[in-house]
mmCIF file with all atom_site columns, all heavy atoms in Angstrom:
data_model
loop_
_atom_site.group_PDB
_atom_site.id
_atom_site.type_symbol
_atom_site.label_atom_id
_atom_site.label_alt_id
_atom_site.label_comp_id
_atom_site.label_asym_id
_atom_site.label_entity_id
_atom_site.label_seq_id
_atom_site.pdbx_PDB_ins_code
_atom_site.Cartn_x
_atom_site.Cartn_y
_atom_site.Cartn_z
_atom_site.occupancy
_atom_site.B_iso_or_equiv
_atom_site.pdbx_formal_charge
_atom_site.auth_seq_id
_atom_site.auth_comp_id
_atom_site.auth_asym_id
_atom_site.auth_atom_id
_atom_site.pdbx_PDB_model_num
ATOM 1  N N   . MET A 1 119 ? -16.085 27.396 -23.498 1.00 88.00 ? 119 MET A N   1
ATOM 2  C CA  . MET A 1 119 ? -15.271 28.288 -24.221 1.00 88.00 ? 119 MET A CA  1
ATOM 3  C C   . MET A 1 119 ? -14.049 27.451 -24.585 1.00 88.00 ? 119 MET A C   1
ATOM 4  O O   . MET A 1 119 ? -13.638 26.475 -24.014 1.00 88.00 ? 119 MET A O   1
ATOM 5  C CB  . MET A 1 119 ? -14.791 29.437 -23.400 1.00 88.00 ? 119 MET A CB  1
ATOM 6  C CG  . MET A 1 119 ? -15.854 30.404 -22.908 1.00 88.00 ? 119 MET A CG  1
ATOM 7  S SD  . MET A 1 119 ? -16.714 31.171 -24.270 1.00 88.00 ? 119 MET A SD  1
ATOM 8  C CE  . MET A 1 119 ? -15.405 32.144 -24.921 1.00 88.00 ? 119 MET A CE  1
ATOM 9  N N   . TYR A 1 120 ? -13.449 27.913 -25.785 1.00 88.00 ? 120 TYR A N   1
ATOM 10 C CA  . TYR A 1 120 ? -12.064 27.217 -26.087 1.00 88.00 ? 120 TYR A CA  1
ATOM 11 C C   . TYR A 1 120 ? -11.123 28.216 -26.635 1.00 88.00 ? 120 TYR A C   1
ATOM 12 O O   . TYR A 1 120 ? -11.464 29.248 -27.219 1.00 88.00 ? 120 TYR A O   1
ATOM 13 C CB  . TYR A 1 120 ? -12.359 26.009 -27.021 1.00 88.00 ? 120 TYR A CB  1
ATOM 14 C CG  . TYR A 1 120 ? -12.752 26.395 -28.397 1.00 88.00 ? 120 TYR A CG  1
ATOM 15 C CD1 . TYR A 1 120 ? -11.791 26.527 -29.481 1.00 88.00 ? 120 TYR A CD1 1
ATOM 16 C CD2 . TYR A 1 120 ? -14.105 26.629 -28.824 1.00 88.00 ? 120 TYR A CD2 1
ATOM 17 C CE1 . TYR A 1 120 ? -12.158 26.837 -30.749 1.00 88.00 ? 120 TYR A CE1 1
ATOM 18 C CE2 . TYR A 1 120 ? -14.353 26.948 -30.080 1.00 88.00 ? 120 TYR A CE2 1
ATOM 19 C CZ  . TYR A 1 120 ? -13.400 27.071 -31.042 1.00 88.00 ? 120 TYR A CZ  1
ATOM 20 O OH  . TYR A 1 120 ? -13.683 27.431 -32.294 1.00 88.00 ? 120 TYR A OH  1
ATOM 21 N N   . SER A 1 121 ? -9.844  27.884 -26.432 1.00 91.00 ? 121 SER A N   1
ATOM 22 C CA  . SER A 1 121 ? -8.771  28.652 -27.073 1.00 91.00 ? 121 SER A CA  1
ATOM 23 C C   . SER A 1 121 ? -7.845  27.658 -27.826 1.00 91.00 ? 121 SER A C   1
ATOM 24 O O   . SER A 1 121 ? -7.596  26.586 -27.411 1.00 91.00 ? 121 SER A O   1
ATOM 25 C CB  . SER A 1 121 ? -8.009  29.406 -25.919 1.00 91.00 ? 121 SER A CB  1
ATOM 26 O OG  . SER A 1 121 ? -6.917  29.927 -26.464 1.00 91.00 ? 121 SER A OG  1
ATOM 27 N N   . THR A 1 122 ? -7.450  28.097 -28.971 1.00 92.00 ? 122 THR A N   1
ATOM 28 C CA  . THR A 1 122 ? -6.479  27.244 -29.747 1.00 92.00 ? 122 THR A CA  1
ATOM 29 C C   . THR A 1 122 ? -5.147  28.025 -29.852 1.00 92.00 ? 122 THR A C   1
ATOM 30 O O   . THR A 1 122 ? -4.325  27.600 -30.640 1.00 92.00 ? 122 THR A O   1
ATOM 31 C CB  . THR A 1 122 ? -7.102  27.025 -31.185 1.00 92.00 ? 122 THR A CB  1
ATOM 32 O OG1 . THR A 1 122 ? -7.316  28.208 -31.839 1.00 92.00 ? 122 THR A OG1 1
ATOM 33 C CG2 . THR A 1 122 ? -8.366  26.193 -31.035 1.00 92.00 ? 122 THR A CG2 1
ATOM 34 N N   . ASN A 1 123 ? -4.986  29.021 -29.033 1.00 92.00 ? 123 ASN A N   1
ATOM 35 C CA  . ASN A 1 123 ? -3.585  29.654 -29.078 1.00 92.00 ? 123 ASN A CA  1
ATOM 36 C C   . ASN A 1 123 ? -3.111  29.989 -27.568 1.00 92.00 ? 123 ASN A C   1
ATOM 37 O O   . ASN A 1 123 ? -2.722  30.960 -27.265 1.00 92.00 ? 123 ASN A O   1
ATOM 38 C CB  . ASN A 1 123 ? -3.665  30.977 -29.754 1.00 92.00 ? 123 ASN A CB  1
ATOM 39 C CG  . ASN A 1 123 ? -4.842  31.900 -29.253 1.00 92.00 ? 123 ASN A CG  1
ATOM 40 O OD1 . ASN A 1 123 ? -5.422  31.690 -28.225 1.00 92.00 ? 123 ASN A OD1 1
ATOM 41 N ND2 . ASN A 1 123 ? -5.147  32.937 -30.035 1.00 92.00 ? 123 ASN A ND2 1
ATOM 42 N N   . ASN A 1 124 ? -3.272  28.890 -26.785 1.00 91.00 ? 124 ASN A N   1
ATOM 43 C CA  . ASN A 1 124 ? -2.717  28.882 -25.446 1.00 91.00 ? 124 ASN A CA  1
ATOM 44 C C   . ASN A 1 124 ? -3.218  29.969 -24.651 1.00 91.00 ? 124 ASN A C   1
ATOM 45 O O   . ASN A 1 124 ? -2.501  30.687 -23.866 1.00 91.00 ? 124 ASN A O   1
ATOM 46 C CB  . ASN A 1 124 ? -1.184  28.905 -25.506 1.00 91.00 ? 124 ASN A CB  1
ATOM 47 C CG  . ASN A 1 124 ? -0.568  27.547 -25.976 1.00 91.00 ? 124 ASN A CG  1
ATOM 48 O OD1 . ASN A 1 124 ? -1.072  26.590 -25.653 1.00 91.00 ? 124 ASN A OD1 1
ATOM 49 N ND2 . ASN A 1 124 ? 0.530   27.734 -26.698 1.00 91.00 ? 124 ASN A ND2 1
ATOM 50 N N   . GLY A 1 125 ? -4.562  30.182 -24.718 1.00 90.00 ? 125 GLY A N   1
ATOM 51 C CA  . GLY A 1 125 ? -5.209  31.106 -23.897 1.00 90.00 ? 125 GLY A CA  1
ATOM 52 C C   . GLY A 1 125 ? -5.153  32.695 -24.186 1.00 90.00 ? 125 GLY A C   1
ATOM 53 O O   . GLY A 1 125 ? -5.753  33.574 -23.475 1.00 90.00 ? 125 GLY A O   1
ATOM 54 N N   . ALA A 1 126 ? -4.525  33.004 -25.352 1.00 91.00 ? 126 ALA A N   1
ATOM 55 C CA  . ALA A 1 126 ? -4.470  34.395 -25.819 1.00 91.00 ? 126 ALA A CA  1
ATOM 56 C C   . ALA A 1 126 ? -5.910  34.958 -26.082 1.00 91.00 ? 126 ALA A C   1
ATOM 57 O O   . ALA A 1 126 ? -6.215  36.075 -25.784 1.00 91.00 ? 126 ALA A O   1
ATOM 58 C CB  . ALA A 1 126 ? -3.521  34.530 -27.022 1.00 91.00 ? 126 ALA A CB  1
ATOM 59 N N   . THR A 1 127 ? -6.667  34.119 -26.837 1.00 92.00 ? 127 THR A N   1
ATOM 60 C CA  . THR A 1 127 ? -8.021  34.449 -27.119 1.00 92.00 ? 127 THR A CA  1
ATOM 61 C C   . THR A 1 127 ? -9.016  33.418 -26.862 1.00 92.00 ? 127 THR A C   1
ATOM 62 O O   . THR A 1 127 ? -8.534  32.143 -26.958 1.00 92.00 ? 127 THR A O   1
ATOM 63 C CB  . THR A 1 127 ? -8.106  35.015 -28.571 1.00 92.00 ? 127 THR A CB  1
ATOM 64 O OG1 . THR A 1 127 ? -7.777  33.934 -29.481 1.00 92.00 ? 127 THR A OG1 1
ATOM 65 C CG2 . THR A 1 127 ? -7.296  36.200 -28.846 1.00 92.00 ? 127 THR A CG2 1
ATOM 66 N N   . TRP A 1 128 ? -10.251 33.531 -26.636 1.00 90.00 ? 128 TRP A N   1
ATOM 67 C CA  . TRP A 1 128 ? -11.139 32.615 -26.399 1.00 90.00 ? 128 TRP A CA  1
ATOM 68 C C   . TRP A 1 128 ? -12.382 32.704 -27.245 1.00 90.00 ? 128 TRP A C   1
ATOM 69 O O   . TRP A 1 128 ? -12.802 33.826 -27.523 1.00 90.00 ? 128 TRP A O   1
ATOM 70 C CB  . TRP A 1 128 ? -11.568 32.587 -24.900 1.00 90.00 ? 128 TRP A CB  1
ATOM 71 C CG  . TRP A 1 128 ? -10.447 32.362 -23.915 1.00 90.00 ? 128 TRP A CG  1
ATOM 72 C CD1 . TRP A 1 128 ? -9.515  33.091 -23.475 1.00 90.00 ? 128 TRP A CD1 1
ATOM 73 C CD2 . TRP A 1 128 ? -10.240 31.016 -23.370 1.00 90.00 ? 128 TRP A CD2 1
ATOM 74 N NE1 . TRP A 1 128 ? -8.659  32.457 -22.727 1.00 90.00 ? 128 TRP A NE1 1
ATOM 75 C CE2 . TRP A 1 128 ? -9.048  31.191 -22.597 1.00 90.00 ? 128 TRP A CE2 1
ATOM 76 C CE3 . TRP A 1 128 ? -10.871 29.763 -23.571 1.00 90.00 ? 128 TRP A CE3 1
ATOM 77 C CZ2 . TRP A 1 128 ? -8.472  30.091 -21.962 1.00 90.00 ? 128 TRP A CZ2 1
ATOM 78 C CZ3 . TRP A 1 128 ? -10.310 28.735 -22.731 1.00 90.00 ? 128 TRP A CZ3 1
ATOM 79 C CH2 . TRP A 1 128 ? -9.132  28.829 -22.036 1.00 90.00 ? 128 TRP A CH2 1
ATOM 80 N N   . THR A 1 129 ? -13.010 31.600 -27.615 1.00 88.00 ? 129 THR A N   1
ATOM 81 C CA  . THR A 1 129 ? -14.134 31.579 -28.492 1.00 88.00 ? 129 THR A CA  1
ATOM 82 C C   . THR A 1 129 ? -15.231 30.758 -27.858 1.00 88.00 ? 129 THR A C   1
ATOM 83 O O   . THR A 1 129 ? -14.914 29.698 -27.106 1.00 88.00 ? 129 THR A O   1
ATOM 84 C CB  . THR A 1 129 ? -13.858 31.043 -29.870 1.00 88.00 ? 129 THR A CB  1
ATOM 85 O OG1 . THR A 1 129 ? -12.698 31.782 -30.422 1.00 88.00 ? 129 THR A OG1 1
ATOM 86 C CG2 . THR A 1 129 ? -14.975 31.088 -30.735 1.00 88.00 ? 129 THR A CG2 1
ATOM 87 N N   . ALA A 1 130 ? -16.521 31.167 -28.092 1.00 87.00 ? 130 ALA A N   1
ATOM 88 C CA  . ALA A 1 130 ? -17.614 30.238 -27.599 1.00 87.00 ? 130 ALA A CA  1
ATOM 89 C C   . ALA A 1 130 ? -17.469 28.764 -28.174 1.00 87.00 ? 130 ALA A C   1
ATOM 90 O O   . ALA A 1 130 ? -17.360 28.688 -29.444 1.00 87.00 ? 130 ALA A O   1
ATOM 91 C CB  . ALA A 1 130 ? -18.975 30.862 -27.944 1.00 87.00 ? 130 ALA A CB  1
#
Side-chain angles (χ1 to χ4, degrees):
M119 297 298 296
Y120 72 93
S121 172
T122 56
N123 55 11
N124 289 323
T127 59
W128 293 84
T129 306

